[in-house]
Amino acid sequence: MRAARLIKMVLLLQSRPSMTAAELARELEVSERTVTRDAQALSEAGVPVYADRGRAGGYRLIGGYRTRLTGLARSEAEALFLSGVPGALREMGLEDAASAARLKVSAALLPSLRDASRTASQRFHLDAPSWFKEPKTPELLPVVADAVWDDRRITARYRRGDTEVERRLEPYGLVLKAGVWYLCARVADSAAPSVPRARPGRDAPGRPDARSDTGSGTRSAPFRTYRIDRFSSVEAEDARFTRDEDFDLPAYWDHQAERFSRSILHAEVVLRLSPEGVRRLPHVVDPVSARDALAATDDAPDPHGWTTVTLRVESEDVAHTQLTALGAEVEVLAPESLRSRFAEDARRLAELYRGAAPG
């Protein structure tokens, strides 16, 4: 346990000019006193860890010290090769770069670990698209991905309903959701000025324009989300924008996905659920809606173990389709129109199954 922590400490210091004891303690999930002891142990073992004293001090490696990857365990080496998403890299035009990187890592590993790439790929495969859909890679994805990596503005035309709209965008990040590619970007005209620069070379939820009113950091322009398959043209500019370093792509996407889920829930239904119905509810309706409904329930289950909840749904028709999957584990109490539809379903099912099957 301590050996793994010491290796991680060296790698952290190798990747940054210096780190304070508090930063190292947070990364390593230990106390600052433990960091001090570990730094001393590394120094005694010949690793040149230097401690800068004073208020702005910290720890750093001196003399250009670099460690090698020969300290990797087999499980660590295999996990390393699982970190890529081959299909997504291919669609973004990064397959060759990723392949070269994997070869370099493999060459640095001990001979006994060089089959880690094969053993990992034979035990895990990510298939991002959902069932019953034929995913199609957006033709303009490589151009957009290139601009994202280089922090270059783009001028994009995209379809919004029956019209086309043109926007100058600062492309911050790409998200692949259920086989659909999205761009998280800021409208350039409302953001900070760009920094002109020649184009550098490179070593070889679910609707378009789903907007966010929340900015990031000190800049007021909001981020927006675009479906890349709705772009009809994309032209990368030479201008390079300055990224907002406070922007957190995973956090932004989680917020937008949950916000979108809630935004389409325009109706409410009141249900009685059996214990099995409570367990299965998040699997047949929107998970966010199910979580909110179950969390807001103040009443204890009735003597039969059934729970009454108020569930937000997209529409009565959608609720009818989704809740049918729960069968006899749910009773609709309101609205009366939806309850009547389920009563009619039950009557027809009773007639259908009354008597012997047709021969």
Side-chain angles (χ1 to χ4, degrees), residues 285-319:
V285 303
D286 179 80
V288 173
S289 178
R291 185 184 67 213
D292 290 348
L294 294 172
T297 302
D298 296 326
D299 298 334
D302 65 21
H304 302 287
W306 288 56
T307 303
T308 301
V309 301
T310 299
L311 179 74
R312 292 186 59 81
V313 295
E314 188 172 348
S315 67
E316 186 173 309
D317 287 340
V318 171

Side-chain angles (χ1 to χ4, degrees), residues 9 32 51 123 148 181 188 209 237 247 253 258 283 297 323 346:
M9 184 175 180
E32 292 186 32
R123 286 164 174 79
V148 169
W181 283 94
D209 197 27
E237 303 180 5
F247 178 71
W253 180 258
E258 185 165 323
H283 302 288
T297 302
L323 295 173

Side-chain angles (χ1 to χ4, degrees), residues 94-163:
L94 298 174
E95 186 176 28
D96 289 343
S99 177
R102 286 192 294 269
L103 285 173
K104 290 178 181 178
V105 171
S106 295
L109 292 173
L110 289 170
S112 60
L113 299 179
R114 288 177 185 169
D115 65 339
S117 174
R118 183 185 59 80
T119 58
S121 65
Q122 293 304 313
R123 286 164 174 79
F124 179 82
H125 173 69
L126 176 64
D127 184 11
S130 57
W131 290 104
F132 313 117
K133 288 178 64 177
E134 285 293 333
K136 183 178 180 182
T137 303
E139 183 179 345
L140 297 171
L141 175 61
V143 179
V144 177
D146 191 61
V148 169
W149 284 112
D150 292 340
D151 293 339
R152 285 181 298 106
R153 289 181 172 178
I154 61 174
T155 300
R157 293 188 63 84
Y158 68 95
R159 295 181 292 277
R160 181 192 285 175
D162 297 328
T163 62

